[in-house]
Amino acid sequence: MTRIHLHLLSDSTGETLENIAKAAIGLFENVEAVRHFWPMVRSDVHLDRIMEDISANPGLVLFTLNNHQLRRRLETRCRALGLPHVAALDTVTDALSNILGQETRNRPGRKHILDEAYFARIEAIQFTIAHDDGVGHENWEEADIVLAGVSRASKTPTSIYLANRGYKTANIPLVPESPPPRSLFSLRHPMVVGLTVSPERLIQIRRNRLLSLNQAPETAYVDLEKVQDELSFARRMFADHGWPVIDMSRRSIEEAAAAIINLFNDRLLAEGGSEA
């Protein structure tokens, strides 16, 4: 096992930087990354404190800093210590600069735009939490996305992930014995997406859930025939209403959410809107 210190510096929340680092580390085997996360780096004093830790734990430094003076200070200190340092977005911004024929610049209204995005995300999270598991169906028209699927098809974690990306998301469990509200079939604004999963995988997830609750792991909830009937019921509903379907059998929550966001943006474009 190879151990590496990874220092992540951002002048914002650092969410983008964390995702880049996570994706990059995931490409390597037998690597233990010790992450040192430094968000909201906006002053020389703060940077100097961080450099003390970097000096004590040398490793790769990844950063996204818009302040040119602060960035130069970081780069100079890293060179003095002989540490590799990478501006994580430079390659992308340079390519865009060449294509667009213009330089990047800090716009006066940027903070206001970021604040709006932040509050929109908070609103999306609050909406999603309040509309989990079929609750509040009378407000579903306000949602961006509604996820439908059988029990334990990863509706809630996918909803929360989408909410963190700024999408108001509701979800509804599909149970053959208890049809969903009729309003589900007449929604106009939200995109309804069906989540499905293979019977074998679903049974495994449900059995693990029962065990975690100290309940008997052999019930109708995990009976193969009944599970197949549930899934067939859900798939018929998806097909009857022309809803796009995401198979969660081999997808992570992140992968499923990315596919759903792509579907959502394709829908916007088809309607003549702009991407979210």
Side-chain angles (χ1 to χ4, degrees):
M1 179 73 72
T2 302
R3 194 166 186 263
I4 180 175
H5 288 278
L6 193 60
H7 297 272
L8 310 177
L9 287 78
S10 172
D11 54 10
S12 186
T13 62
E15 182 179 353
T16 298
L17 196 56
E18 277 198 297
N19 289 334
I20 292 172
K22 182 179 179 181
I25 288 294
L27 298 175
F28 297 88
E29 294 182 353
N30 300 319
V31 175
E32 179 190 359
V34 181
R35 299 183 189 180
H36 304 259
F37 183 48
W38 311 103
M40 302 298 177
V41 183
R42 297 176 178 175
S43 70
D44 290 344
V45 173
H46 191 184
L47 179 60
D48 289 342
R49 288 201 303 268
I50 293 169
M51 290 308 304
E52 293 177 8
D53 184 81
I54 293 176
S55 179
N57 301 283
L60 175 62
V61 178
L62 296 180
F63 63 92
T64 52
L65 299 175
N66 285 320
N67 184 300
H68 296 298
Q69 180 180 345
L70 205 59
R71 172 175 169 151
R72 284 196 298 271
R73 188 180 182 88
L74 171 64
E75 291 172 329
T76 300
R77 297 288 297 275
C78 285
R79 280 195 293 269
L81 292 170
L83 296 178
H85 49 285
V86 178
L89 297 179
D90 270 17
T91 301
V92 177
T93 53
D94 287 348
L96 284 171
S97 179
N98 290 333
I99 292 172
L100 298 173
Q102 58 178 280
E103 297 294 324
T104 60
R105 61 191 176 94
N106 293 327
R107 291 175 295 170
R110 181 168 176 77
K111 184 178 186 300
H112 176 67
I113 293 170
L114 290 175
D115 286 346
E116 285 187 348
Y118 171 78
F119 287 114
R121 185 168 63 174
I122 295 300
E123 184 181 357
I125 292 171
Q126 292 174 338
F127 178 92
T128 299
I129 291 174
H131 296 82
D132 182 43
D133 205 34
V135 175
H137 63 86
E138 63 276 5
N139 300 319
W140 281 351
E141 193 62 43
E142 300 174 21
D144 298 310
I145 298 166
V146 176
L147 303 181
V150 300
S151 173
R152 313 314 299 179
S154 299
K155 297 183 299 299
T156 295
T158 305
S159 296
I160 295 298
Y161 189 93
L162 288 167
N164 274 281
R165 295 291 302 274
Y167 298 89
K168 292 182 179 179
T169 309
N171 72 77
I172 174 72
L174 299 181
V175 182
E177 297 80 12
S178 179
R182 294 180 63 85
S183 58
L184 176 64
F185 309 116
S186 59
L187 295 174
R188 298 181 62 84
H189 171 69
M191 179 182 71
V192 182
V193 178
L195 300 187
T196 189
V197 63
S198 70
E200 296 76 16
R201 175 63 177 153
L202 184 57
I203 288 172
Q204 179 186 24
I205 294 170
R206 288 182 173 185
R207 184 171 285 123
N208 290 339
R209 175 63 174 170
L210 291 173
L211 288 171
S212 71
L213 296 174
N214 294 318
Q215 297 182 10
E218 300 301 331
T219 67
Y221 191 55
V222 293
D223 178 78
L224 178 59
E225 185 176 348
K226 291 187 177 297
V227 167
Q228 289 174 330
D229 288 344
E230 281 185 67
L231 290 169
S232 295
F233 168 77
R235 290 194 185 100
R236 284 195 302 271
M237 186 178 296
F238 302 156
D240 289 346
H241 295 88
W243 297 335
V245 179
I246 300 294
D247 190 338
M248 303 295 294
S249 302
R250 298 183 182 276
R251 273 192 170 100
S252 67
I253 299 302
E254 294 86 353
E255 290 169 334
I260 292 168
I261 291 171
N262 284 337
L263 289 170
F264 184 84
N265 286 332
D266 287 345
R267 181 177 186 250
L268 284 182
L269 290 174
E271 294 174 351
S274 58
E275 289 192 6

